[in-house]
Every structure is written in structure tokens, then in C-alpha cells.
Amino acid sequence: NLAKTCNVKFPIIKVGNWIGPLIVDAAIKNVKTVILFGYHGKLIKLAGGIFHTHNHLADGRIEILVYLAVKEKVPSEIIFKLSKLKTLEDALLFLERFNKSIAEKLFQNLSNTIEKRSYDYVNRYVKTDMEIASIIFDRKRKIRWSGKNGSDYIVFTGSPEVASEILKETADRIIPTHFELGGKSAAIIYPDADIDKAVDSTVKGIFKPNAGQICVAMSRVIVHPKIKDEYMTKLVAKTQKLKIGAGDEDGTEVTPLISTDQMQRVSNYVKSGIQSGATLTIGGDKAERDDGNFYQPTIFDNVKVEATIAQEEIFGPVTSIFDFEDEEEAINIANSTKYGLASGVFTADDQKAKWTADRIQAGIIWQNDWFVDGTNLPGGGYKRSGYGRDGGVDGIYSHGQTKRISKRLY
């Protein structure tokens, strides 16, 4: 129904935090396909070639107003500005400044639409650890695909909660899905590890340059007590020297969080960590600058395995430190979360690294470094980190189907 309103000749499945600007531009530019990946991103590119900074539409009625404005052929620049407003009152004042008669018509149509429920849509907000995601679908028919315009395969990168919603809405058609979801990646540092290398890997794994806003962030470190003091001393010293700033500033090493909502979410997790009895070693507060969502690189020590900061994906510059006495304990800590996307092993013993990697429940294992990647290497998750693989031959098979063709030769 929404696609028809915008005169878009294809089904729209909208997953993520972007609503008005995307569909509006799709209609204006007659874009044939819109693919949304993930749940956060400073810039989103449409096939039509237009870039827009994303925003969260606070009032679902504005979404309907945007669609009605498209239908009334309101100029695209006005529609875009309208889609970025937060309240219905702001929308009314804005439209009246543009054209009072059009404003009156749009608001009357909005009232009729809501009363008659002619759009009959559900705007369901799913609260997750990482996002507020919005899924738009027809209330009576849910998501219904058929014929040549149908979707036969869905790839999604984002949160487990949204993936679960996708599975529910595609269950009737048994549509294959491919998910890369959240992570709570752990590094195990054995006593024979190169400590300087482990420290450098921790800094780039959780702080540089994306402030922990990556699904494979090194958000947990499991280190042997024999080397822990040296590791912590060097890690704190290196963390203290990191420069926090915007991505386009020279020398920036830690960039801002994606939004004020994410800043508050990270702050809440830090408070939770303190309340759980963990030791706040460094950071734990907003950075001392007011021109962005900057948060200090934060390290917790003496963290309990069951603590919230040890179990949930924070998606910020926060890492937790754990001790272990033997290999089995280290592996148990690494496997103690519902996630299983990536992990790391730091040791000079290749056999020990292989033995450990075999026992860690994660789809990506790095040895003696973080982000050891290549296009020829498969990657993907265990447990609630998703399924399917990207990269290498496994990625080709994961995104296709094997067909057997047989001929009798006797």
C-alpha cells in the first residue's frame, strides 16, 4: 500500500531507522530497487544517486504526511525537509509557510486517512540493545510477495531482534535468509603472548577508529594473571593518549557515537557496570567537547561473567577485562554469551591457538592480531550472531543453492 501511494512499482520492505527520505526519493527518482543494510549509518545512498543523512522520525503521523505530500506532487525539497521534522505541530507550521492551502488539504487528508485506516499499516517499534528499528507492513496481509515481483531471498545485517521479526514475517513463504547479527567478541591472551601486540590489537579492536561501533569489536578481554599487570599498564597508557575527534579532523583516533540516543545507551551500560561491582579503570564519561557525541574510551576490570556489560552488545568504546587460571576457564568465559561472531587468541604456540579456536563458538577466529581479514576468507556467526557466510568459496555457496542433475548411464 505504501509503495502504491508513492507510485513505486515494486514492493518495499523497510527495515532500519530510515523511513520518509528513503521512500520519498525512491518515488521521485523512480528507483527500481532499494536495499537497506544494518541499522546505523551516517549516510545512506540510494540507487538514484542521492545521499541523505538519516534521522529518526519521532511521530508516525509525519510518515503518512510525507506519503500524502508525494501524492500531491509537493516539491521534493519540501518533502525532504518535512520528513526531518519531529512533531506534527512543526510539520503544520512548516507546510503553512510553504503553502497554506496545501497544508490544509494535507492535514485534512491525514485526518481522513487515520480515521478510515485506509493505509491500514502498522508502525511497530522494536526496542533492542542497539537500536529502535521500525518495520512497516500491511496489517491485514502482513508482507505478501507473489509472482515476478516477489522476494525469494533476504540478506540482513543488524540486530538479532530485528532478524527475529524478519523470520516471523517470512515464515509462511519459507523464504531463505542470511543474517550477520550482533557480537560480543572476546580475546584470550595466554601467558606466552606478545603483550605489545595484544595491547595494540585491543586499542584498534575496541577504540580505533570507530569507538566500538562495529559488530566484531573486541568488547571482552580474557587475560592470564601472570601477564595481566603489564598488559593493563600498557593498555591504560596507550588509551590515555588516544585523540578523540571528528573523522575529518587530522590525527583523530576515536570518532563520535552515531547519535545522542547511542550516547545515552552507552552511558547507561557504564552505570550498570559500576553498579555490578566492576572496577572502572579509565573513561566512563562523555568526552570534554560539546560539538558531537563523543565518549571516552572505557575499560572495566574485575568484571563478573554474568554482568550486563559482559553479556550484552554495547556498541560503544567499552571493553571488559577478565582473569582466567586455565585454558578451559578462558574458553568457558569466551563462550558465555548468546553471541558468537568473532574471537581472538594471543599465543606464540600455534597448536594451542588451534586447540583454542576449535573450542570457541564463533565464526571468525583471529590469532595474534585483530581484523586479520581478506576477501578470500569466510566470515559469519554462531548462535544469535546469525548464520550464513560472506567471503571466499563459502560465501558463494552460502548465497546460492546447489542443484543436482543426474543422467543414467546404464
Side-chain angles (χ1 to χ4, degrees), residues 266-305:
V266 172
S267 297
N268 290 341
Y269 273 114
V270 169
K271 292 175 183 177
S272 171
I274 295 172
Q275 292 170 358
S276 72
T279 303
L280 181 60
T281 303
I282 188 173
D285 203 352
K286 300 175 183 178
E288 294 180 356
R289 51 183 297 171
D290 56 6
D291 58 339
N293 304 309
F294 299 100
Y295 202 89
Q296 297 174 354
T298 300
I299 301 171
F300 278 103
D301 193 6
N302 304 314
V303 180
K304 298 174 183 176
V305 174

Side-chain angles (χ1 to χ4, degrees), residues 298-339:
T298 300
I299 301 171
F300 278 103
D301 193 6
N302 304 314
V303 180
K304 298 174 183 176
V305 174
E306 67 275 10
T308 299
I309 59 170
Q311 292 294 316
E312 298 184 6
E313 185 174 38
I314 298 174
F315 228 70
V318 181
T319 193
S320 299
I321 311 296
F322 306 84
D323 298 349
F324 74 94
E325 294 297 332
D326 56 48
E327 291 87 347
E328 292 291 349
E329 183 183 8
I331 292 167
N332 287 338
I333 295 173
N335 292 336
S336 65
T337 75
K338 61 186 178 182
Y339 297 106

